[in-house]
Amino acid sequence: MTLVLVLVVPALAFPWGTAAVARRLAAVLPPREACWTLTAAALLMAGGTIAVLIGLFHVPFLASLEQVPLRRVLEVWPAAVPVAVAAGSVMLVQVVLVLRRWFQHRSVLERAWQLAAQGTGDGDLLVVPGDEVDAFALPGHRGRAGRIMVTSGMLRALKPGEREVLLAHERAHLSGRHHVFSAVVDLSAAVHPALRSLRASLLFHLERWADEAAAAAVGNRKLAAAAIARAALVGSRNRDTSGGHPLLSVTSGPVPRRVEALLLPEPVGPRGGSRRAGVLGLAAIIAVSAPAALTPAYGLHEYVEYAAAAVRGD
């Protein structure tokens, strides 16, 4: 039992440290690389957690493959069945949570597309009449291409140049498929609670990614900063901005930090060095997380073989 704890507990606790490292690494990277780093870290940690739980769940079945009666296995390791049941229960809860979040995502998209049906426009832009001030990127759904949905209230609240920033920002969300990054991290967070801290960080960097794209599109960083600040000031405040949904808006995330970044003369950090640091940091996360996930599974297999040999008297 002590060996199992030594193998499993560090692997299940590892995501807490990895999430903190990933957030710190993302803070010094350009937005695009930061988003890839956070998403990859979340996916790796979720996969590692599942691998460890599967290993625990299969201990009794591995023993049966060694042709050792379960009764004799329990004599060597009495906790084998309770641990397997606990691991199976945790995986069942994870499945329920992941499916729940997935259906929540689909429900939000369905409602957004129903609202979009009231809009009019050409190309990728839909303008929905009404006094509500809102705008967001609407991912493709059921064979429909992604669209930008803007209320007439939002368009009235912005100046012509600021409207251009708004549309460029939302187009960056669509072209970069930012909703996929958001969904991956959100579903991964349902697997391990440590990964929930990555959602807010990812939301910020996704918005920064779109901010930089909008600033480049209009060629004026100050105009982009002013547009984002105005849109956030007049925008709707009743929509969830935690990052746990597929709809990304110019008003999402910590707007003051985003505006401050756009007022800098250049993007934060030297791009060449930051990219190299991002590649090295992501490689380090992979190099550490892969053994952290595989070692417990391999160790449990070896432990079962050892226990089986002890039962047979080898």
Side-chain angles (χ1 to χ4, degrees), residues 45-47 49-50 53 90 94 97-98 186-193 195:
M45 291 303 96
T49 299
I50 293 172
L53 292 172
V90 171
Q94 290 173 335
L97 291 176
V98 169
D186 191 43
L187 295 177
S188 297
V191 173
H192 197 296
L195 304 180

Side-chain angles (χ1 to χ4, degrees), residues 7 179 299:
L7 288 172
H179 62 283

Side-chain angles (χ1 to χ4, degrees), residues 33-125:
E33 286 77 2
C35 293
W36 278 103
T37 298
L38 292 168
T39 305
L43 196 58
L44 286 169
M45 291 303 96
T49 299
I50 293 172
V52 172
L53 292 172
I54 289 176
L56 289 171
F57 181 70
H58 276 78
V59 167
F61 303 101
L62 292 174
S64 67
L65 291 177
E66 294 288 337
Q67 298 182 347
V68 178
L70 181 60
R71 177 180 57 81
R72 298 293 303 278
V73 173
L74 293 177
E75 292 176 0
V76 177
W77 185 21
V81 171
V83 167
V85 170
S89 300
V90 171
M91 286 192 292
L92 180 60
V93 171
Q94 290 173 335
V95 169
V96 171
L97 291 176
V98 169
L99 289 177
R100 179 184 177 186
R101 292 301 294 172
W102 173 257
F103 283 115
Q104 286 177 344
H105 280 230
R106 307 307 292 177
S107 176
V108 170
L109 280 178
E110 289 285 358
R111 291 197 303 270
W113 274 105
Q114 291 173 5
L115 178 61
Q118 305 173 18
T120 58
D122 296 324
D124 62 353
L125 178 63

Side-chain angles (χ1 to χ4, degrees), residues 1-226:
M1 185 64 178
T2 301
L3 177 60
V4 175
L5 291 175
V6 169
L7 288 172
V8 172
V9 172
L12 294 179
F14 185 72
W16 296 101
T18 302
V21 171
R23 293 196 308 272
R24 287 183 176 272
L25 179 60
V28 299
L29 293 174
R32 184 193 302 266
E33 286 77 2
C35 293
W36 278 103
T37 298
L38 292 168
T39 305
L43 196 58
L44 286 169
M45 291 303 96
T49 299
I50 293 172
V52 172
L53 292 172
I54 289 176
L56 289 171
F57 181 70
H58 276 78
V59 167
F61 303 101
L62 292 174
S64 67
L65 291 177
E66 294 288 337
Q67 298 182 347
V68 178
L70 181 60
R71 177 180 57 81
R72 298 293 303 278
V73 173
L74 293 177
E75 292 176 0
V76 177
W77 185 21
V81 171
V83 167
V85 170
S89 300
V90 171
M91 286 192 292
L92 180 60
V93 171
Q94 290 173 335
V95 169
V96 171
L97 291 176
V98 169
L99 289 177
R100 179 184 177 186
R101 292 301 294 172
W102 173 257
F103 283 115
Q104 286 177 344
H105 280 230
R106 307 307 292 177
S107 176
V108 170
L109 280 178
E110 289 285 358
R111 291 197 303 270
W113 274 105
Q114 291 173 5
L115 178 61
Q118 305 173 18
T120 58
D122 296 324
D124 62 353
L125 178 63
L126 286 174
V127 179
V128 177
D131 294 329
E132 185 178 2
V133 181
D134 206 355
F136 52 83
L138 187 56
H141 184 58
R142 297 186 183 276
R144 293 170 289 194
R147 308 292 291 271
I148 299 169
M149 202 186 85
V150 183
T151 64
S152 55
M154 175 66 86
L155 292 179
R156 288 193 300 268
L158 299 180
K159 300 176 182 179
E162 294 170 343
R163 295 173 194 164
E164 186 178 352
V165 172
L166 172 72
L167 298 181
H169 178 100
E170 302 302 343
R171 287 191 178 105
H173 281 317
L174 289 179
S175 62
R177 299 186 65 80
H178 293 176
H179 62 283
V180 175
F181 291 83
S182 178
V184 168
V185 173
D186 191 43
L187 295 177
S188 297
V191 173
H192 197 296
L195 304 180
R196 296 173 187 170
S197 64
L198 298 181
R199 292 190 299 194
S201 181
L202 177 71
L203 176 62
F204 170 69
H205 291 290
L206 285 175
E207 294 302 331
R208 284 283 300 117
W209 184 350
D211 289 346
E212 291 296 333
V218 301
N220 189 329
R221 297 180 66 81
K222 290 185 177 180
L223 174 61

Side-chain angles (χ1 to χ4, degrees), residues 283-298:
I285 290 175
I286 294 173
V288 174
S289 61
L294 296 178
T295 298
Y298 176 77

